[in-house]
Coordinates of all heavy atoms in Angstrom, one line a residue:
M1088 N -98.2 178.6 -39.2 CA -98.9 177.4 -39.2 C -100.2 177.6 -38.3 O -100.1 178.1 -37.2 CB -98.2 176.3 -38.6 CG -97.5 175.4 -39.7 SD -96.9 174.0 -38.6 CE -96.4 172.9 -39.8
S1089 N -101.2 177.1 -38.8 CA -102.4 177.2 -38.1 C -102.5 176.1 -37.0 O -101.7 175.1 -37.0 CB -103.7 177.1 -39.0 OG -103.8 175.7 -39.5
T1090 N -103.4 176.3 -36.1 CA -103.6 175.3 -35.0 C -104.0 173.9 -35.5 O -103.5 172.8 -35.1 CB -104.6 175.7 -34.0 OG1 -104.3 177.1 -33.6 CG2 -104.7 174.9 -32.8
L1091 N -104.8 173.9 -36.6 CA -105.2 172.6 -37.2 C -104.0 171.9 -37.8 O -103.9 170.7 -37.6 CB -106.3 172.9 -38.3 CG -106.8 171.7 -39.0 CD1 -107.5 170.7 -38.0 CD2 -107.7 172.0 -40.0
S1092 N -103.1 172.6 -38.4 CA -101.9 172.0 -39.1 C -101.0 171.4 -38.0 O -100.5 170.3 -38.1 CB -101.1 173.0 -39.9 OG -101.9 173.6 -40.9
I1093 N -100.9 172.1 -36.9 CA -100.1 171.6 -35.8 C -100.6 170.3 -35.2 O -99.9 169.3 -35.0 CB -99.9 172.7 -34.7 CG1 -99.1 173.8 -35.2 CG2 -99.2 172.1 -33.5 CD1 -99.0 175.0 -34.3
F1094 N -101.9 170.3 -35.0 CA -102.6 169.1 -34.5 C -102.5 167.9 -35.5 O -102.3 166.8 -35.1 CB -104.1 169.3 -34.2 CG -104.3 170.0 -32.9 CD1 -104.9 171.2 -32.8 CD2 -103.8 169.4 -31.7 CE1 -105.1 171.8 -31.6 CE2 -104.0 170.0 -30.5 CZ -104.7 171.2 -30.4
L1095 N -102.6 168.2 -36.8 CA -102.5 167.2 -37.8 C -101.1 166.6 -37.9 O -100.9 165.3 -38.0 CB -102.9 167.7 -39.2 CG -104.4 167.9 -39.3 CD1 -104.7 168.6 -40.7 CD2 -105.2 166.7 -39.2
V1096 N -100.1 167.4 -37.8 CA -98.7 167.0 -37.8 C -98.4 166.1 -36.6 O -97.8 165.0 -36.6 CB -97.7 168.2 -37.9 CG1 -96.3 167.8 -37.6 CG2 -97.8 168.8 -39.2
I1097 N -98.8 166.6 -35.4 CA -98.6 165.8 -34.2 C -99.3 164.5 -34.2 O -98.8 163.4 -33.8 CB -99.0 166.7 -32.9 CG1 -98.0 167.8 -32.8 CG2 -99.0 165.8 -31.6 CD1 -98.4 168.9 -31.7
G1098 N -100.5 164.5 -34.7 CA -101.3 163.3 -34.9 C -100.7 162.3 -35.8 O -100.6 161.1 -35.5
F1099 N -100.1 162.8 -36.9 CA -99.4 161.9 -37.9 C -98.2 161.4 -37.3 O -97.9 160.1 -37.4 CB -99.1 162.7 -39.1 CG -98.3 161.9 -40.1 CD1 -99.0 161.0 -40.9 CD2 -97.0 162.1 -40.3 CE1 -98.3 160.2 -41.8 CE2 -96.3 161.4 -41.2 CZ -96.9 160.4 -42.0
I1100 N -97.4 162.1 -36.5 CA -96.2 161.6 -35.9 C -96.6 160.6 -34.9 O -95.9 159.5 -34.7 CB -95.4 162.8 -35.2 CG1 -94.8 163.7 -36.4 CG2 -94.3 162.3 -34.3 CD1 -94.2 165.0 -35.9
A1101 N -97.6 160.7 -34.1 CA -98.0 159.8 -33.0 C -98.5 158.5 -33.7 O -98.1 157.4 -33.2 CB -99.1 160.4 -32.1
L1102 N -99.3 158.6 -34.7 CA -99.7 157.4 -35.4 C -98.6 156.6 -36.1 O -98.5 155.4 -36.0 CB -100.8 157.7 -36.5 CG -102.2 158.1 -35.9 CD1 -103.0 158.6 -37.1 CD2 -102.8 156.9 -35.3
T1103 N -97.7 157.3 -36.7 CA -96.5 156.7 -37.3 C -95.6 156.0 -36.2 O -95.2 154.9 -36.4 CB -95.6 157.7 -38.0 OG1 -96.5 158.4 -39.1 CG2 -94.5 157.1 -38.7
A1104 N -95.5 156.7 -35.1 CA -94.7 156.1 -34.0 C -95.4 154.9 -33.4 O -94.7 153.8 -33.2 CB -94.5 157.1 -32.9
S1105 N -96.7 154.9 -33.3 CA -97.4 153.7 -32.8 C -97.3 152.5 -33.8 O -97.2 151.4 -33.4 CB -98.9 154.1 -32.6 OG -99.0 155.0 -31.5
Y1106 N -97.5 152.8 -35.1 CA -97.3 151.8 -36.1 C -96.0 151.1 -36.1 O -95.9 149.9 -36.0 CB -97.6 152.4 -37.5 CG -97.3 151.4 -38.6 CD1 -98.1 150.4 -38.9 CD2 -96.1 151.6 -39.3 CE1 -97.8 149.4 -39.9 CE2 -95.8 150.7 -40.3 CZ -96.6 149.6 -40.6 OH -96.3 148.7 -41.6
L1107 N -94.9 152.0 -36.0 CA -93.6 151.4 -36.0 C -93.3 150.6 -34.7 O -92.7 149.6 -34.7 CB -92.6 152.5 -36.2 CG -92.5 153.2 -37.6 CD1 -91.6 154.3 -37.5 CD2 -92.1 152.2 -38.6
D1108 N -93.9 151.1 -33.6 CA -93.7 150.5 -32.3 C -94.4 149.1 -32.4 O -93.8 148.1 -31.9 CB -94.4 151.3 -31.2 CG -94.2 150.7 -29.9 OD1 -93.2 150.1 -29.6 OD2 -95.2 150.8 -29.1
A1109 N -95.5 149.0 -33.0 CA -96.3 147.7 -33.1 C -95.5 146.8 -34.0 O -95.4 145.6 -33.8 CB -97.7 147.9 -33.5
K1110 N -95.1 147.3 -35.1 CA -94.5 146.5 -36.2 C -93.1 145.9 -35.7 O -92.8 144.7 -35.9 CB -94.2 147.2 -37.5 CG -93.6 146.4 -38.6 CD -93.5 147.2 -39.8 CE -93.0 146.3 -40.9 NZ -92.9 147.0 -42.2
F1111 N -92.3 146.7 -35.1 CA -90.9 146.3 -34.7 C -90.8 145.9 -33.2 O -89.8 145.6 -32.8 CB -89.9 147.3 -35.1 CG -89.8 147.6 -36.5 CD1 -90.3 148.7 -37.1 CD2 -89.3 146.6 -37.4 CE1 -90.2 149.0 -38.4 CE2 -89.3 146.9 -38.7 CZ -89.7 148.1 -39.2
Q1112 N -91.9 146.0 -32.4 CA -92.0 145.7 -31.1 C -90.9 146.4 -30.3 O -90.3 145.8 -29.5 CB -91.9 144.2 -30.8 CG -93.0 143.4 -31.5 CD -92.9 141.9 -31.4 OE1 -91.9 141.4 -30.9 NE2 -93.9 141.2 -31.9
W1113 N -90.9 147.7 -30.5 CA -90.0 148.5 -29.7 C -90.4 148.8 -28.3 O -89.6 149.2 -27.5 CB -89.7 149.9 -30.5 CG -89.0 149.8 -31.7 CD1 -88.2 148.8 -32.2 CD2 -89.0 150.7 -32.8 NE1 -87.7 149.0 -33.4 CE2 -88.2 150.2 -33.8 CE3 -89.6 152.0 -33.0 CZ2 -87.9 150.9 -34.9 CZ3 -89.4 152.6 -34.1 CH2 -88.6 152.1 -35.2
R1114 N -91.7 148.6 -28.0 CA -92.3 148.9 -26.7 C -92.1 150.3 -26.2 O -92.1 150.6 -25.0 CB -91.7 147.9 -25.7 CG -91.9 146.5 -26.0 CD -91.3 145.5 -25.1 NE -92.1 145.7 -23.8 CZ -91.6 145.3 -22.6 NH1 -90.4 144.7 -22.5 NH2 -92.3 145.5 -21.5
L1115 N -92.1 151.3 -27.2 CA -92.0 152.6 -26.7 C -93.2 153.1 -26.1 O -93.2 154.0 -25.1 CB -91.7 153.5 -28.0 CG -90.3 153.2 -28.7 CD1 -90.2 154.1 -29.9 CD2 -89.2 153.5 -27.7
N1116 N -94.4 152.7 -26.6 CA -95.6 153.2 -25.9 C -95.7 152.7 -24.4 O -96.1 153.4 -23.6 CB -96.8 152.6 -26.6 CG -97.0 153.4 -27.9 OD1 -96.6 154.5 -28.1 ND2 -97.7 152.7 -28.9
D1117 N -95.2 151.5 -24.2 CA -95.2 150.9 -22.9 C -94.2 151.7 -22.0 O -94.4 152.0 -20.8 CB -94.7 149.4 -22.8 CG -95.7 148.5 -23.5 OD1 -96.9 148.9 -23.6 OD2 -95.3 147.4 -23.8
W1118 N -93.0 152.1 -22.6 CA -92.0 152.8 -21.8 C -92.5 154.2 -21.5 O -92.3 154.7 -20.4 CB -90.8 152.9 -22.7 CG -89.6 153.5 -22.0 CD1 -89.0 153.2 -20.9 CD2 -88.9 154.7 -22.5 NE1 -88.0 154.0 -20.6 CE2 -87.9 155.0 -21.6 CE3 -89.1 155.5 -23.7 CZ2 -87.0 156.0 -21.8 CZ3 -88.2 156.6 -23.8 CH2 -87.2 156.8 -22.9
I1119 N -93.2 154.9 -22.4 CA -93.7 156.2 -22.2 C -94.8 156.2 -21.1 O -94.9 157.0 -20.3 CB -94.2 156.8 -23.5 CG1 -93.0 157.1 -24.4 CG2 -95.0 158.1 -23.2 CD1 -93.4 157.5 -25.9
S1120 N -95.6 155.1 -21.1 CA -96.7 155.0 -20.1 C -96.2 154.5 -18.8 O -97.0 154.5 -17.9 CB -97.8 154.2 -20.7 OG -97.5 152.8 -20.8
G1121 N -95.0 154.0 -18.8 CA -94.4 153.6 -17.5 C -94.7 152.1 -17.2 O -94.4 151.7 -16.0
S1122 N -95.2 151.3 -18.1 CA -95.4 149.9 -17.8 C -94.3 149.0 -18.1 O -94.3 147.8 -17.7 CB -96.6 149.4 -18.6 OG -96.5 149.7 -20.0
C1123 N -93.1 149.5 -18.5 CA -91.9 148.8 -18.6 C -90.7 149.7 -18.2 O -90.8 150.9 -18.5 CB -91.7 148.1 -19.9 SG -91.2 149.2 -21.2
S1124 N -89.6 149.2 -17.7 CA -88.5 150.0 -17.4 C -87.5 150.2 -18.5 O -86.7 151.1 -18.5 CB -87.8 149.5 -16.1 OG -87.3 148.2 -16.3
N1125 N -87.5 149.2 -19.4 CA -86.5 149.3 -20.4 C -87.2 148.7 -21.7 O -87.6 147.6 -21.9 CB -85.3 148.4 -20.1 CG -84.2 148.4 -21.1 OD1 -84.3 149.1 -22.2 ND2 -83.1 147.9 -20.8
P1126 N -87.3 149.6 -22.7 CA -88.1 149.2 -24.0 C -87.3 148.3 -24.8 O -87.7 147.7 -25.8 CB -88.3 150.6 -24.7 CG -87.2 151.5 -24.2 CD -86.9 151.0 -22.8
F1127 N -86.0 148.0 -24.5 CA -85.1 147.2 -25.4 C -85.0 145.8 -24.9 O -84.4 145.0 -25.6 CB -83.8 147.9 -25.5 CG -83.8 149.3 -26.0 CD1 -83.6 150.3 -25.1 CD2 -84.2 149.5 -27.3 CE1 -83.6 151.7 -25.6 CE2 -84.3 150.9 -27.7 CZ -84.0 151.9 -26.9
I1128 N -85.7 145.4 -23.9 CA -85.8 144.0 -23.4 C -86.8 143.3 -24.3 O -87.9 143.8 -24.5 CB -86.1 143.9 -21.9 CG1 -85.0 144.5 -21.1 CG2 -86.3 142.5 -21.5 CD1 -85.3 144.6 -19.6
A1129 N -86.5 142.1 -24.7 CA -87.5 141.4 -25.5 C -88.9 141.2 -24.8 O -89.0 141.0 -23.7 CB -86.9 139.9 -25.8
S1130 N -89.9 141.5 -25.6 CA -91.2 141.5 -25.0 C -91.8 140.1 -25.0 O -91.2 139.2 -25.6 CB -92.1 142.4 -25.9 OG -92.3 141.8 -27.2
K1131 N -92.9 139.9 -24.3 CA -93.6 138.7 -24.2 C -94.1 138.2 -25.6 O -94.2 137.0 -25.9 CB -94.6 138.7 -23.2 CG -94.2 138.9 -21.8 CD -95.3 138.8 -20.8 CE -94.9 139.0 -19.4 NZ -95.9 139.0 -18.5
A1132 N -94.4 139.2 -26.4 CA -94.9 138.8 -27.8 C -93.8 138.1 -28.6 O -94.1 137.1 -29.3 CB -95.4 140.1 -28.5
T1133 N -92.5 138.5 -28.4 CA -91.5 137.9 -29.1 C -91.3 136.4 -28.6 O -91.1 135.5 -29.3 CB -90.1 138.6 -28.9 OG1 -90.3 140.0 -29.4 CG2 -89.0 138.0 -29.7
Q1134 N -91.3 136.2 -27.3 CA -91.2 134.9 -26.7 C -92.4 134.0 -27.1 O -92.2 132.8 -27.3 CB -91.2 135.1 -25.1 CG -90.0 135.8 -24.6 CD -90.1 136.1 -23.1 OE1 -91.1 135.9 -22.5 NE2 -89.0 136.6 -22.5
Q1135 N -93.6 134.6 -27.1 CA -94.7 133.8 -27.5 C -94.6 133.4 -29.0 O -95.0 132.3 -29.4 CB -96.0 134.5 -27.3 CG -96.3 134.7 -25.8 CD -97.8 134.7 -25.5 OE1 -98.6 134.8 -26.4 NE2 -98.0 134.7 -24.3
Q1136 N -94.1 134.3 -29.8 CA -93.9 134.0 -31.3 C -92.9 132.8 -31.4 O -93.1 131.9 -32.2 CB -93.4 135.2 -32.0 CG -93.3 135.0 -33.5 CD -94.6 134.7 -34.2 OE1 -95.6 135.2 -33.7 NE2 -94.5 134.0 -35.3
Q1137 N -91.8 132.8 -30.6 CA -90.9 131.7 -30.6 C -91.5 130.4 -30.2 O -91.3 129.3 -30.8 CB -89.7 132.0 -29.7 CG -88.9 133.1 -30.3 CD -87.7 133.5 -29.3 OE1 -87.8 133.1 -28.2 NE2 -86.8 134.4 -29.8
L1138 N -92.4 130.4 -29.2 CA -93.1 129.3 -28.8 C -94.0 128.7 -29.8 O -94.1 127.5 -30.1 CB -93.9 129.5 -27.5 CG -93.1 129.6 -26.2 CD1 -94.0 130.1 -25.0 CD2 -92.4 128.3 -25.9
I1139 N -94.8 129.6 -30.6 CA -95.6 129.3 -31.6 C -94.8 128.6 -32.7 O -95.3 127.6 -33.2 CB -96.4 130.5 -32.1 CG1 -97.4 130.9 -31.0 CG2 -97.1 130.2 -33.4 CD1 -98.1 132.2 -31.3
E1140 N -93.7 129.1 -33.1 CA -92.9 128.5 -34.2 C -92.4 127.1 -33.8 O -92.4 126.2 -34.6 CB -91.7 129.5 -34.4 CG -92.1 130.7 -35.2 CD -90.9 131.7 -35.3 OE1 -89.8 131.3 -34.9 OE2 -91.2 132.8 -35.8
K1141 N -92.0 127.0 -32.5 CA -91.6 125.7 -32.0 C -92.7 124.7 -32.1 O -92.5 123.5 -32.5 CB -91.1 125.8 -30.5 CG -90.5 124.5 -29.9 CD -90.1 124.7 -28.5 CE -89.7 123.4 -27.8 NZ -89.3 123.6 -26.5
K1142 N -93.9 125.1 -31.7 CA -95.1 124.2 -31.8 C -95.4 123.9 -33.2 O -95.8 122.7 -33.4 CB -96.3 124.8 -31.0 CG -96.2 124.8 -29.5 CD -97.3 125.4 -28.8 CE -97.1 125.5 -27.3 NZ -98.3 126.0 -26.6
D1143 N -95.3 124.8 -34.1 CA -95.6 124.5 -35.5 C -94.6 123.5 -36.1 O -95.1 122.6 -36.8 CB -95.5 125.9 -36.3 CG -96.7 126.8 -36.0 OD1 -97.7 126.3 -35.5 OD2 -96.6 128.0 -36.4
K1144 N -93.4 123.6 -35.7 CA -92.4 122.6 -36.1 C -92.7 121.2 -35.5 O -92.7 120.2 -36.3 CB -91.0 123.0 -35.6 CG -90.4 124.2 -36.4 CD -89.1 124.5 -35.9 CE -88.5 125.8 -36.6 NZ -87.2 126.2 -36.0
Q1145 N -93.2 121.1 -34.3 CA -93.6 119.8 -33.7 C -94.8 119.3 -34.4 O -94.9 118.1 -34.7 CB -93.9 120.0 -32.2 CG -92.6 120.3 -31.3 CD -93.0 120.4 -29.9 OE1 -94.1 120.8 -29.6 NE2 -92.0 120.3 -29.1
I1146 N -95.8 120.1 -34.7 CA -96.9 119.7 -35.3 C -96.7 119.2 -36.8 O -97.2 118.2 -37.2 CB -98.0 120.8 -35.4 CG1 -98.6 121.1 -34.0 CG2 -99.1 120.5 -36.4 CD1 -99.4 122.3 -33.9
A1147 N -95.7 119.8 -37.5 CA -95.3 119.4 -38.8 C -94.6 118.0 -38.7 O -94.9 117.2 -39.6 CB -94.4 120.4 -39.4
A1148 N -93.8 117.8 -37.6 CA -93.2 116.6 -37.5 C -94.2 115.5 -37.2 O -94.1 114.3 -37.7 CB -92.1 116.6 -36.4
F1149 N -95.1 115.8 -36.4 CA -96.2 114.8 -36.1 C -97.1 114.4 -37.3 O -97.4 113.3 -37.5 CB -97.1 115.3 -35.0 CG -96.5 115.2 -33.6 CD1 -96.7 116.3 -32.7 CD2 -95.6 114.2 -33.2 CE1 -96.1 116.3 -31.5 CE2 -95.1 114.2 -31.9 CZ -95.2 115.2 -31.1
V1150 N -97.4 115.4 -38.1 CA -98.1 115.2 -39.3 C -97.3 114.2 -40.3 O -97.9 113.3 -40.9 CB -98.5 116.5 -40.0 CG1 -99.0 116.3 -41.4 CG2 -99.5 117.3 -39.2
E1151 N -96.0 114.5 -40.4 CA -95.2 113.7 -41.2 C -95.2 112.2 -40.7 O -95.3 111.3 -41.5 CB -93.8 114.2 -41.3 CG -92.9 113.5 -42.2 CD -91.5 114.2 -42.2 OE1 -91.4 115.4 -41.9 OE2 -90.5 113.4 -42.6
R1152 N -95.1 112.0 -39.4 CA -95.1 110.7 -38.9 C -96.4 110.0 -39.1 O -96.5 108.8 -39.5 CB -94.9 110.8 -37.4 CG -93.5 111.1 -37.0 CD -93.3 111.1 -35.5 NE -92.0 111.6 -35.0 CZ -91.6 111.8 -33.9 NH1 -92.4 111.5 -32.8 NH2 -90.4 112.1 -33.5
V1153 N -97.5 110.7 -38.9 CA -98.8 110.1 -39.2 C -99.0 109.7 -40.7 O -99.5 108.7 -40.9 CB -100.0 111.1 -38.8 CG1 -101.3 110.6 -39.2 CG2 -99.9 111.2 -37.2
E1154 N -98.5 110.6 -41.5 CA -98.6 110.3 -43.0 C -97.8 109.0 -43.3 O -98.3 108.2 -44.1 CB -98.1 111.5 -43.8 CG -99.0 112.6 -43.8 CD -98.4 113.8 -44.5 OE1 -97.3 113.8 -44.9 OE2 -99.3 114.8 -44.7
T1155 N -96.6 108.9 -42.7 CA -95.8 107.7 -42.9 C -96.5 106.5 -42.4 O -96.5 105.4 -43.1 CB -94.4 107.8 -42.2 OG1 -93.8 109.0 -42.6 CG2 -93.6 106.6 -42.4
L1156 N -97.1 106.6 -41.1 CA -97.8 105.4 -40.6 C -99.1 105.0 -41.5 O -99.3 103.9 -41.7 CB -98.3 105.7 -39.2 CG -97.1 105.7 -38.2 CD1 -97.7 106.2 -36.9 CD2 -96.4 104.4 -38.0
E1157 N -99.8 106.1 -42.0 CA -100.9 105.8 -42.8 C -100.5 105.1 -44.1 O -101.1 104.2 -44.6 CB -101.6 107.1 -43.2 CG -102.4 107.7 -42.1 CD -103.0 109.0 -42.5 OE1 -102.6 109.6 -43.5 OE2 -103.9 109.5 -41.7
A1158 N -99.4 105.5 -44.6 CA -98.8 104.9 -45.9 C -98.5 103.3 -45.6 O -98.8 102.5 -46.4 CB -97.6 105.6 -46.4
I1159 N -97.9 103.1 -44.4 CA -97.5 101.7 -44.1 C -98.8 100.8 -43.9 O -98.9 99.8 -44.4 CB -96.7 101.7 -42.8 CG1 -95.3 102.3 -43.1 CG2 -96.6 100.2 -42.3 CD1 -94.4 102.5 -41.9
V1160 N -99.8 101.4 -43.2 CA -101.0 100.6 -42.9 C -101.9 100.4 -44.1 O -102.6 99.4 -44.2 CB -101.8 101.4 -41.8 CG1 -103.2 100.7 -41.6 CG2 -101.0 101.3 -40.4
T1161 N -101.9 101.3 -45.0 CA -102.7 101.2 -46.2 C -102.1 100.4 -47.3 O -102.7 100.2 -48.4 CB -103.2 102.5 -46.7 OG1 -102.0 103.3 -47.0 CG2 -104.0 103.3 -45.7
Q1162 N -100.9 99.9 -47.2 CA -100.3 99.1 -48.2 C -101.0 97.8 -48.3 O -101.3 97.2 -47.3 CB -98.8 98.8 -47.9 CG -97.9 100.1 -48.1 CD -96.5 99.8 -47.7 OE1 -96.2 98.8 -47.2 NE2 -95.6 100.8 -47.9
P1163 N -101.2 97.2 -49.5 CA -101.8 96.0 -49.6 C -101.1 94.8 -49.0 O -101.7 93.9 -48.4 CB -101.9 95.7 -51.2 CG -101.7 97.1 -51.8 CD -100.9 97.9 -50.8
A1164 N -99.8 94.8 -49.0 CA -99.0 93.8 -48.3 C -99.3 93.8 -46.9 O -99.3 92.6 -46.2 CB -97.5 94.0 -48.6
Y1165 N -99.5 94.9 -46.1 CA -99.7 94.9 -44.8 C -101.1 94.3 -44.5 O -101.3 93.5 -43.6 CB -99.6 96.4 -44.3 CG -100.0 96.5 -42.8 CD1 -99.0 96.3 -41.9 CD2 -101.2 96.9 -42.4 CE1 -99.3 96.4 -40.5 CE2 -101.5 97.0 -41.0 CZ -100.5 96.8 -40.1 OH -100.8 96.9 -38.8
E1166 N -102.1 94.7 -45.3 CA -103.5 94.1 -45.1 C -103.5 92.6 -45.3 O -104.1 91.9 -44.6 CB -104.4 94.8 -46.1 CG -104.6 96.3 -45.8 CD -105.6 96.9 -46.9 OE1 -106.1 96.2 -47.7 OE2 -105.6 98.2 -46.8
L1167 N -102.8 92.1 -46.4 CA -102.7 90.7 -46.6 C -102.0 89.9 -45.4 O -102.5 88.9 -45.0 CB -101.9 90.4 -48.0 CG -101.7 89.0 -48.3 CD1 -103.1 88.4 -48.6 CD2 -100.9 88.9 -49.6
N1168 N -100.9 90.6 -44.9 CA -100.2 90.0 -43.8 C -101.1 89.9 -42.6 O -101.1 88.9 -41.8 CB -99.0 90.8 -43.5 CG -98.1 90.1 -42.5 OD1 -98.2 88.9 -42.2 ND2 -97.2 90.9 -41.8
E1169 N -102.0 90.9 -42.4 CA -102.9 90.9 -41.2 C -103.9 89.8 -41.4 O -104.3 89.1 -40.4 CB -103.6 92.3 -41.0 CG -102.7 93.4 -40.5 CD -102.2 93.1 -39.1 OE1 -103.0 92.7 -38.3 OE2 -101.0 93.3 -38.8
K1170 N -104.4 89.7 -42.6 CA -105.5 88.6 -42.8 C -104.8 87.2 -42.6 O -105.5 86.3 -42.1 CB -106.0 88.7 -44.3 CG -106.9 89.9 -44.4 CD -107.4 90.0 -45.9 CE -108.2 91.2 -46.1 NZ -108.7 91.4 -47.5
I1171 N -103.6 87.0 -43.1 CA -102.8 85.8 -42.9 C -102.7 85.5 -41.4 O -102.9 84.4 -40.9 CB -101.5 85.7 -43.6 CG1 -101.8 85.7 -45.1 CG2 -100.7 84.5 -43.2 CD1 -100.6 85.9 -45.9
N1172 N -102.3 86.5 -40.7 CA -102.0 86.4 -39.2 C -103.4 86.1 -38.5 O -103.4 85.3 -37.5 CB -101.4 87.6 -38.6 CG -100.0 87.7 -39.0 OD1 -99.3 86.7 -39.3 ND2 -99.4 88.9 -38.9
A1173 N -104.5 86.6 -39.0 CA -105.8 86.3 -38.4 C -106.2 84.9 -38.6 O -106.9 84.3 -37.8 CB -106.8 87.3 -38.9
L1174 N -105.8 84.3 -39.7 CA -106.2 82.9 -40.0 C -105.4 81.9 -39.1 O -105.9 80.8 -38.9 CB -106.0 82.6 -41.4 CG -106.9 83.4 -42.4 CD1 -106.5 83.0 -43.9 CD2 -108.4 82.9 -42.2
K1175 N -104.3 82.3 -38.6 CA -103.4 81.4 -37.8 C -104.0 81.1 -36.5 O -104.7 81.2 -35.7 CB -102.0 81.9 -37.6 CG -101.2 81.9 -38.9 CD -99.8 82.5 -38.7 CE -99.0 82.5 -39.9 NZ -97.7 83.1 -39.8

C-alpha cells in the first residue's frame, strides 16, 4: 500500500468515527481528548434535548388552551351576552 492509500484509509476511519460519535452521542472524541472521564455518561446534549421536548409539550398545551379560549370568546352567544351585560 502506498502512503497515500494509508492516509486515505485512516482519514476515512476518522471521519466515520466522528460521524457516528455525533449521531449517537457516544462522546468518544471528548474521551480521547480528555475532556470527559467516561464516554458512556449521558451528555448535556441529551439532557438539553429532553428539556426542549418538555418545553415543546408545554407550548402545545398552551396553544390548545388559547385556541379553546378563542373559540369561546368568538361565539355569537358570548358576544350577545356581553352586550346584554353592558346594557344593565
Side-chain angles (χ1 to χ4, degrees):
M1088 259 189 175
S1089 69
T1090 307
L1091 179 61
S1092 298
I1093 293 172
F1094 280 121
L1095 289 175
V1096 168
I1097 291 173
F1099 177 75
I1100 291 171
L1102 285 174
T1103 304
S1105 294
Y1106 169 76
L1107 292 173
D1108 183 38
K1110 182 175 182 178
F1111 297 111
Q1112 298 176 355
W1113 289 341
R1114 299 181 66 198
L1115 294 176
N1116 288 336
D1117 293 341
W1118 183 59
I1119 291 169
S1120 68
S1122 51
C1123 76
S1124 59
N1125 187 350
F1127 303 108
I1128 295 175
S1130 67
K1131 290 182 181 181
T1133 304
Q1134 294 170 352
Q1135 291 210 353
Q1136 184 65 28
Q1137 291 172 350
L1138 286 174
I1139 289 171
E1140 289 172 2
K1141 181 181 176 183
K1142 288 181 183 180
D1143 287 344
K1144 288 178 185 177
Q1145 288 177 340
I1146 290 171
F1149 287 139
V1150 166
E1151 185 178 335
R1152 288 180 184 177
V1153 168
E1154 288 174 351
T1155 302
L1156 290 173
E1157 286 176 346
I1159 291 170
V1160 171
T1161 57
Q1162 289 178 353
Y1165 180 82
E1166 292 175 11
L1167 181 62
N1168 191 20
E1169 288 295 315
K1170 289 179 184 178
I1171 292 171
N1172 287 337
L1174 293 174
K1175 289 183 182 179

